[in-house]
Amino acid sequence: MGCLITQTYQWHIDYPHEKRFLKTIVWLLFVLEVVSSILLAYDIWLMFGRGYGDMDTLDVIHTEWLSVCVIGAIVAGIVQFIYAFRLWMFSRSRVAFIVVLVLALIQTATGIGQGIKSRIAGRFSVLQKESPVALGIWIGSAALCDVIIAVLMVYHLRKCGRDLQSERVHAVLSKIIVYTLESGMVTAAAASSIIILFFAKRGPYFDILGIGLAKLYTNTLMVILNSRRRVRADFDATSKFSGLGTLGPSTPTPRLSAVRFSTPTETIDENSFVTNNSHHIKIQKQVLQTSASHELSDIPIVQRFP
């Protein structure tokens, strides 16, 4: 929870003019995580405070059915919807968007259903015997959804890098790919571990990872949101090192591929110099500045999220 508070505070400071839709999502996730943390703290007190020395209380499901299953499934579904929307904005692939959205809805619905089953079961030992299929579908669809998101985003990012053919843009895309893989694979690995521990039937150890799964989703989303400033700063640093100057958020990004003068034949590109009436006009720096800004604007994940 401490990491989430830090990430949310950093996002609030760095992006005061964020879109209203995204602000609503972030604060909704934050409130859900606060409620979940309060319920988990209450469970810890019941087990290790009031129930100190009573081994039977460790098998009792107190409010985990709400804090872990129901709230966890809702948080994961919201984050996966954001990722699905980002994938749609980046690739314009309806098939990819629908597949991710359907998997997110399945894991949300089965997660809420698992919460209801957990509330009825009342004990972890009973839960492992009565509802293995529901939990397998819930966590399995969540892990599959995360893997698909990561793979498709990496594919489209690499495709974008090949199309733009720019070393500076490749450096930016490499960082975005790393963030995408880390966020997707961390949550997928955690979900897969929960399934393994649950079907191993060695005790309620799966609940340890289940407690932190929703927080993993929220923190990875906040990492990606906060990484936008770092990605742009790295691009600006690369441009400055190359003699191009920096590109602030308010830098205009006109689509300029060449500069034309009064004579039709006097057209130059990024690396050219023009001689007009014996006067040498050096314009390399200005054109490259505009080109660099245009390159960065061609990456939707940098300009806007979602």
Side-chain angles (χ1 to χ4, degrees):
M1 190 64 197
C3 293
L4 179 60
I5 293 174
T6 303
Q7 293 277 5
T8 305
Y9 175 77
Q10 188 66 42
W11 166 82
H12 178 70
I13 296 299
D14 291 343
Y15 303 96
H17 304 294
E18 191 72 270
K19 291 181 180 179
R20 182 176 299 178
F21 169 76
L22 194 55
K23 279 187 176 182
T24 304
I25 292 296
V26 170
W27 289 117
L28 175 61
L29 292 174
F30 183 79
V31 170
L32 289 175
E33 290 295 348
V34 169
V35 173
S36 175
S37 298
I38 293 173
L39 293 175
L40 290 173
Y42 175 70
D43 289 342
I44 292 173
W45 178 78
L46 289 177
M47 290 185 290
F48 302 105
R50 192 178 69 179
Y52 179 77
D54 184 5
M55 300 301 295
D56 184 66
T57 191
L58 298 177
D59 188 45
V60 177
I61 300 175
H62 299 287
T63 64
E64 290 97 334
W65 67 273
L66 177 60
S67 60
V68 176
C69 298
V70 176
I71 295 180
I74 293 174
V75 167
I78 293 174
V79 174
Q80 288 170 343
F81 170 76
I82 294 295
Y83 289 157
F85 186 74
R86 181 183 65 163
L87 183 62
W88 160 255
M89 294 295 294
F90 198 78
S91 66
R92 294 297 177 179
S93 173
R94 293 184 178 179
V95 176
F97 175 76
I98 292 174
V99 168
V100 173
L101 187 61
V102 168
L103 287 174
L105 291 175
I106 290 175
Q107 78 83 23
T108 302
T110 52
I112 295 174
Q114 181 65 27
I116 297 173
K117 283 180 171 290
S118 301
R119 181 70 177 89
I120 296 173
R123 290 181 175 270
F124 289 107
S125 56
V126 177
L127 180 66
Q128 286 182 295
K129 296 177 182 179
E130 293 185 353
S131 59
V133 177
L135 187 135
I137 296 175
W138 170 33
I139 303 297
S141 59
L144 180 60
C145 185
D146 295 337
V147 172
I148 290 176
I149 290 170
V151 171
L152 290 178
M153 280 302 303
V154 170
Y155 168 76
H156 288 292
L157 286 169
R158 291 179 65 87
K159 181 180 178 182
C160 178
R162 290 194 301 267
D163 294 341
L164 292 177
Q165 297 180 351
S166 169
E167 293 183 1
R168 295 188 301 277
V169 173
H170 286 173
V172 173
L173 290 176
S174 297
K175 291 184 179 295
I176 299 174
I177 288 173
V178 170
Y179 287 128
T180 303
L181 284 175
E182 289 178 347
S183 61
M185 293 308 170
V186 165
T187 51
S192 301
S193 301
I194 292 173
I195 296 177
I196 294 173
L197 291 174
F198 180 83
F199 285 101
K201 297 183 179 180
R202 299 290 183 179
Y205 300 113
F206 65 92
D207 195 47
I208 298 175
L209 289 176
I211 289 173
L213 185 60
K215 291 175 175 54
L216 272 179
Y217 276 105
T218 310
N219 276 286
T220 52
L221 175 63
M222 296 309 301
V223 166
I224 292 178
L225 290 178
N226 289 327
S227 68
R228 292 173 296 172
R229 182 175 293 274
R230 178 176 296 181
V231 169
R232 178 169 285 277
D234 291 342
F235 187 90
D236 289 343
T238 305
S239 301
K240 186 175 182 181
F241 180 77
S242 304
L244 302 178
T246 60
L247 298 174
S250 60
T251 304
T253 58
R255 296 185 176 273
L256 179 62
S257 59
V259 176
R260 297 185 179 275
F261 293 87
S262 57
T263 305
T265 58
E266 293 177 340
T267 302
I268 65 171
D269 57 19
E270 293 179 359
N271 301 310
S272 300
F273 293 91
V274 173
T275 302
N276 186 14
N277 297 329
S278 301
H279 294 287
H280 297 280
I281 306 174
K282 185 178 181 180
I283 64 168
Q284 184 182 20
K285 181 177 179 181
Q286 288 80 358
V287 175
L288 282 176
Q289 282 180 331
T290 306
S291 176
S293 179
H294 167 50
E295 289 169 357
L296 193 61
S297 68
D298 283 337
I299 309 177
I301 191 176
V302 178
Q303 288 296 94
R304 57 178 178 233
F305 191 112

